[in-house]
Amino acid sequence: MPKRMNLGFDVSYIAMDGRWRTPGSWVGRTFPDVEMYEEIARIAERGCFDLIFSGDGTGIPSTWEGSTDTAVEWGITWPRQDLNPLMVAMSRVTRHVGFGITYASTFMHPYYVARLMNSLDHITGGRMALNVVTSTRLADAANFGFDALMEHGARYDRMEEFIEVCQRLWDSVQGAMVWDRATGQVGDPAKVRPIDHEGRFFKVKGPLNTPPSPQGRPILVQAGGSPRGLKAAAQFVDVAFGENMSLDLQVRQRASLDQALLAAGRDPAGVGILWQKPLIVAETGEEARRRREALLTMIPREGAGAYLSHNSGYDFARLPPRFTLQALNEEIAASHATPVGIVHQLAHRFGASTEMTREEFLDYGLRYATHYETTEAGSAKEMADHLEEAFEATGSRGGFMIGHPVAMPRDLVDLVDFLIPELQRRGRFRHRYTGATLRETLADTLD
Ligand SMILES: Cc1cc2nc3c(=O)[nH]c(=O)nc-3n(C[C@H](O)[C@H](O)[C@H](O)COP(=O)(O)O)c2cc1C
């Protein structure tokens, strides 16, 4: 019997980077109309998706030319808002699909996030996941009192401490509730204990002042893919979020995570990766590939520059006329920013010593920022073949976070109408939900 995949649907970019007006998108409704999200939730649940997921960022991209103007003019990674109220709204019109929300441990306080996740887990009946990110975005950092990005290693030190505090807070109230009407006893004092945490970044007394939530702890997700990022992930993730990259790199990443898990004393068999997967499916392969072309017309080139600069913390408007990818990587790293996928991908494709012009880089940048280059498009059969190959090559654990659609709700409807039935026919995806919580849904991968 083949192993089944987990599938998430990533709503991070549905209203941004030009997608909001592409044919197939809502007309007369704009972000953040709550009814759009309710419709998404109903469609995703009809397709038995494991979860609806959103990344997040808390600043308007301002790294490109040191200004927010380009981002505001073209809607580059803007506007956004905290997705947690929208996840509550989506949970009220569904019963099974889970929800993944993103907070940056670099900026947030663990007591607040632990308490919020507990509340969300209650409201959704145990359907929450927390995606914890370090963030590479100067615009976000600037809103939380930082003049520069915290050094890469320190961001992960803070993340590990942040999650340790959250876990201890969630555990600080396990089994606490009594609710005995006859005696009036509400809680068991022996089960509610301070955590007395004093670390490098946080000092938290605890305990949490909430009842324990249905899942006890939310599902924990982490996306950073550097060796330091994987080391942090290996400490705590239930499922990793993998960057979309070529299959050989994914296989390498899977092996690196397995090694990190073993070093942390954990069994790699129990930890899946959900690979970020921009994917368009339509009734025919030709139709899907035709729709993919729309990606190239969504934003102008400077919009792509704003997108890339924001995500790396490096101003690509300052690129010299000619440079090697290796030198660019070094310069980005020297400024405490993070080499984004595009630089890795170009180095992998052309070789790190390859020389490029600024114009060549930005041309490629448009294809990268719009996800044109990495979006798979095809018939249900072609896309199911593609997913099965990647799933098996990376150890048949986890699955995919399908996202970056061209237009919503059209792309999600097509996934549910064409791709999901094909995966179900192959025994690769569930026909119905069996579990109550997200943890149970994610574990439902065998017949
Ligand atoms: C698939 C993926 C998704 C990410 N999503 C977010 C996000 O939603 N918000 C954010 O601030 N950072 C996000 N990040 C950035 C990571 O948290 C991290 O800062 C970045 O990958 C650099 O760390 P690394 O060098 O370990 O990869 C994401 C990264 C990856 C690979």
Side-chain angles (χ1 to χ4, degrees):
M1 192 54 75
K3 275 283 294 289
R4 289 190 199 136
M5 300 169 187
N6 297 124
L7 291 180
F9 186 73
D10 183 353
V11 297
S12 308
Y13 289 89
I14 61 173
M16 298 184 296
D17 308 340
R19 290 174 173 80
W20 61 278
R21 66 189 184 108
T22 310
S25 55
W26 287 283
V27 176
R29 282 183 179 179
T30 50
F31 177 85
D33 183 334
V34 66
E35 289 181 12
M36 286 167 30
Y37 284 85
E38 289 171 347
E39 191 175 339
I40 289 170
R42 289 193 189 95
I43 302 167
E45 184 151 285
R46 179 160 71 79
C48 294
F49 272 88
D50 289 80
L51 76 162
I52 295 166
F53 173 88
S54 180
D56 202 7
T58 43
I60 303 179
S62 59
T63 307
W64 175 260
E65 295 177 335
S67 161
T68 56
D69 290 357
T70 304
V72 171
E73 185 168 4
W74 301 110
I76 307 301
T77 316
W78 179 85
R80 297 191 96 142
Q81 70 169 38
D82 194 315
L83 262 279
N84 97 59
L86 291 169
M87 298 217 164
V88 171
M90 290 193 280
S91 78
R92 301 306 295 157
V93 297
T94 52
R95 291 185 54 207
H96 302 286
V97 68
F99 303 97
I101 189 158
T102 297
Y103 288 104
S105 50
T106 308
F107 312 131
M108 302 297 282
H109 193 283
Y111 190 85
Y112 175 77
V113 173
R115 190 164 181 266
L116 174 65
M117 291 310 300
N118 170 290
S119 306
L120 290 170
D121 207 45
H122 276 289
I123 299 285
T124 61
R127 293 189 272 155
M128 286 309 299
L130 168 64
N131 176 40
V132 61
V133 295
T134 50
S135 181
T136 50
R137 298 165 179 166
L138 287 168
D140 298 18
N143 289 332
F144 291 89
F146 295 96
D147 295 327
L149 280 176
M150 192 184 291
E151 186 268 320
H152 186 267
R155 279 182 257 160
Y156 280 111
D157 294 346
R158 182 172 157 121
M159 175 186 277
E160 286 176 355
E161 190 181 328
F162 179 98
I163 290 294
E164 186 200 328
V165 172
C166 286
Q167 286 174 328
R168 293 186 60 204
L169 285 169
W170 290 318
D171 292 350
S172 71
V173 290
Q174 290 308 314
M177 305 318 295
V178 177
W179 293 123
D180 187 328
R181 286 187 80 88
T183 64
Q185 185 178 353
V186 175
D188 177 354
K191 301 277 175 53
V192 181
R193 285 287 169 246
I195 66 166
D196 289 321
H197 175 85
E198 278 192 42
R200 175 173 158 204
F201 298 97
F202 306 109
K203 186 172 174 193
V204 182
K205 175 99 181 130
L208 216 52
N209 68 341
T210 64
S213 77
Q215 292 188 111
R217 299 169 170 189
I219 292 292
L220 292 174
V221 186
Q222 202 275 120
S226 62
R228 183 66 187 90
L230 291 180
K231 184 164 173 271
Q235 308 295 319
F236 61 80
V237 290
D238 295 296
V239 54
F241 186 15
E243 186 176 347
N244 181 38
M245 39 191 173
S246 60
L247 189 53
D248 56 333
L249 288 179
Q250 286 181 331
V251 170
R252 254 199 265 167
Q253 176 95 338
R254 178 72 249 188
S256 304
L257 178 63
D258 287 354
Q259 271 181 2
L261 286 162
L262 286 172
R266 297 182 63 195
D267 180 6
V271 180
I273 299 181
L274 290 175
W275 298 101
Q276 195 180 43
K277 183 54 65 184
L279 186 150
I280 301 166
V281 73
E283 197 159 1
T284 64
E286 293 68 45
E287 168 70 358
R289 286 183 280 277
R290 190 187 62 71
R291 296 194 58 235
R292 189 178 85 139
E293 293 305 306
L295 290 170
L296 284 178
T297 61
M298 290 191 315
I299 52 171
R301 233 164 57 139
E302 71 259 33
Y307 177 96
L308 297 172
S309 302
H310 179 57
N311 284 313
S312 67
Y314 178 83
D315 183 2
F316 288 106
R318 290 189 343 218
L319 282 175
R322 294 190 82 81
F323 54 90
T324 66
L325 293 167
Q326 192 173 340
L328 177 59
N329 237 337
E330 280 162 15
E331 200 179 320
I332 293 174
S335 63
H336 283 177
T338 299
V340 268
I342 182 177
V343 187
H344 286 310
Q345 283 191 9
L346 288 173
H348 184 65
R349 189 156 146 184
F350 302 116
S353 55
T354 301
E355 223 184 42
M356 281 207 141
T357 65
R358 189 176 184 275
E359 280 63 39
E360 281 165 351
F361 183 86
L362 288 177
D363 276 344
Y364 191 83
L366 179 66
R367 299 162 76 89
Y368 182 87
T370 57
H371 292 265
Y372 177 83
E373 198 67 31
T374 48
T375 295
E376 301 292 333
S379 65
K381 184 182 171 312
E382 289 164 333
M383 292 301 93
D385 286 348
H386 170 76
L387 295 185
E388 272 196 294
E389 186 193 356
F391 185 62
E392 283 180 9
T394 54
S396 302
R397 282 163 285 161
F400 302 93
M401 197 81 89
I402 300 179
H404 301 278
V406 183
M408 282 287 282
R410 166 92 180 257
D411 284 293
L412 179 57
V413 171
D414 284 351
L415 286 172
V416 170
D417 286 346
F418 301 125
L419 179 66
I420 298 287
E422 180 65 27
L423 291 172
Q424 288 169 333
R425 260 193 295 283
R426 299 176 185 209
R428 290 297 195 178
F429 198 56
R430 70 175 64 83
H431 286 85
R432 65 196 66 80
Y433 294 97
T434 54
T437 63
L438 176 57
R439 195 175 300 281
E440 289 163 356
T441 298
L442 288 168
D444 172 27
T445 53
L446 291 172
D447 263 329

